[in-house]
Amino acid sequence: SIGYAKDAFHVFYEGIILKDADPKSFEFIENSDYAKDRKSIFYAGTKIEGIAINTFKLLPNGYAKDKNKVLYRKSIVEGADVKTFEVIKTSGPSVYNDFNEYSGYGKDKKNIYYYDKVVHDVDKATFTIMNAGMSKDKNHVIVGSRISEYMDPETLELFSEIYYLKDKNNVYFIYEPMKDIDLPSFVYVGKGYIKDKYKVYYLGKPVEGADVETFSASKVGDAEDKNFYYFGGAKMLGGK
């Protein structure tokens, strides 16, 4: 496991001695930041109190459990039901989370969770995952564990570049409304670019001087208009 090491006398995490760890029985748990010795479970160098070693089990995406508790990393997921808890698969990555198979969400017979937090006021019957860090039910769009005050669950549209979203009311960049966008003329260009009839934007910021009408994605740089090629939201020197 990344960060751990040991010798005959000590266990280390990132060069610091773990005073509570037993070097003779200490083991690194593969594909995780968890480790264990004969008495305790550790996460990223921190001892987690009260975990039953003989029933400890890794779950996807940083989750784990023993016979009594569900963990997310080194935090206990308060109230989670061990017997029915599962990590929910995702349909794709999010702005904050690049896991492709599993989301940051979990569920049990009672609740929906985002990492170690309960997601409140969710209609479980209509709850669906949109990407690794985003979900919705019939009433709300949920970003992480927070219900969005802006987004409309019925009309929300995701693009291949996950930091842009659109619904009947707004275009969003990293989950926040872009206030100056003309929604009826909005066009998703790709490679970080969008435009409306007034402006071109790159990663949420205007591209000064770009010609809206002719602006498109390009094999030269990453975009072009009638006058320039663009890369990373800036004009490439020399024009066309």
Side-chain angles (χ1 to χ4, degrees):
S1 294
I2 296 172
Y4 289 105
K6 69 175 184 175
D7 60 21
F9 306 103
H10 301 105
V11 176
F12 305 86
Y13 182 75
E14 294 185 347
I16 298 172
I17 294 173
L18 302 184
K19 294 181 180 179
D20 294 328
D22 172 49
K24 290 184 180 179
S25 62
F26 194 86
E27 299 178 33
F28 315 126
I29 301 176
E30 286 189 25
N31 302 315
S32 78
D33 285 322
Y34 288 103
K36 66 180 180 178
D37 64 14
R38 61 188 174 85
K39 299 180 294 182
S40 302
I41 294 290
F42 299 81
Y43 183 85
T46 299
K47 179 181 175 181
I48 306 172
E49 302 289 347
I51 302 300
I53 300 295
N54 59 338
T55 60
F56 179 80
K57 180 181 178 181
L58 277 181
L59 299 173
N61 202 358
Y63 286 100
K65 69 178 181 178
D66 71 359
K67 64 180 180 178
N68 298 314
K69 300 180 181 72
V70 175
L71 299 172
Y72 177 70
R73 297 184 176 176
K74 60 186 176 183
S75 299
I76 293 170
V77 182
E78 296 292 346
D81 179 71
V82 172
K83 291 182 179 179
T84 60
F85 185 87
E86 60 181 299
V87 184
I88 305 172
K89 288 191 174 185
T90 184
S91 58
S94 78
V95 171
Y96 306 120
N97 182 327
D98 61 0
F99 293 95
N100 288 316
E101 186 176 2
Y102 287 91
S103 71
Y105 290 96
K107 67 178 180 179
D108 63 17
K109 66 182 180 181
K110 300 176 293 182
N111 294 310
I112 302 292
Y113 303 86
Y114 185 70
Y115 298 143
D116 58 341
K117 295 180 174 62
V118 175
V119 183
H120 296 285
D121 301 319
V122 174
D123 180 72
K124 285 189 70 178
T126 59
F127 178 83
T128 58
I129 297 294
M130 300 187 74
N131 63 34
M134 192 174 188
S135 58
K136 69 177 181 178
D137 64 14
K138 67 179 182 180
N139 301 312
H140 307 108
V141 174
I142 304 150
V143 178
S145 60
R146 175 180 60 86
I147 290 175
S148 172
E149 61 184 289
Y150 311 109
M151 297 181 191
D152 175 64
E154 188 173 342
T155 62
L156 189 68
E157 181 180 356
L158 280 70
F159 300 100
S160 58
E161 291 171 311
I162 51 184
Y163 29 76
Y164 287 118
L165 304 160
K166 175 180 174 287
D167 65 13
K168 67 179 183 180
N169 301 313
N170 293 294
V171 173
Y172 304 88
F173 179 71
I174 311 185
Y175 307 131
E176 294 297 321
M178 295 181 66
K179 296 179 180 179
D180 296 327
I181 291 285
D182 179 69
L183 193 60
S185 64
F186 168 81
V187 175
Y188 172 73
V189 177
K191 297 186 177 181
Y193 296 94
I194 60 172
K195 67 179 184 177
D196 63 13
K197 65 182 180 180
Y198 300 112
K199 290 182 181 179
V200 174
Y201 298 82
Y202 177 74
L203 298 184
K205 295 182 178 180
V207 179
E208 298 300 335
D211 181 72
V212 171
E213 188 174 342
T214 61
F215 195 91
S216 64
S218 174
K219 293 181 180 179
V220 179
D222 51 23
E224 64 179 300
D225 64 16
K226 67 181 182 179
N227 300 311
F228 293 95
Y229 293 110
Y230 296 80
F231 184 75
K235 294 173 183 175
M236 297 175 69
L237 294 176
K240 282 189 165 180

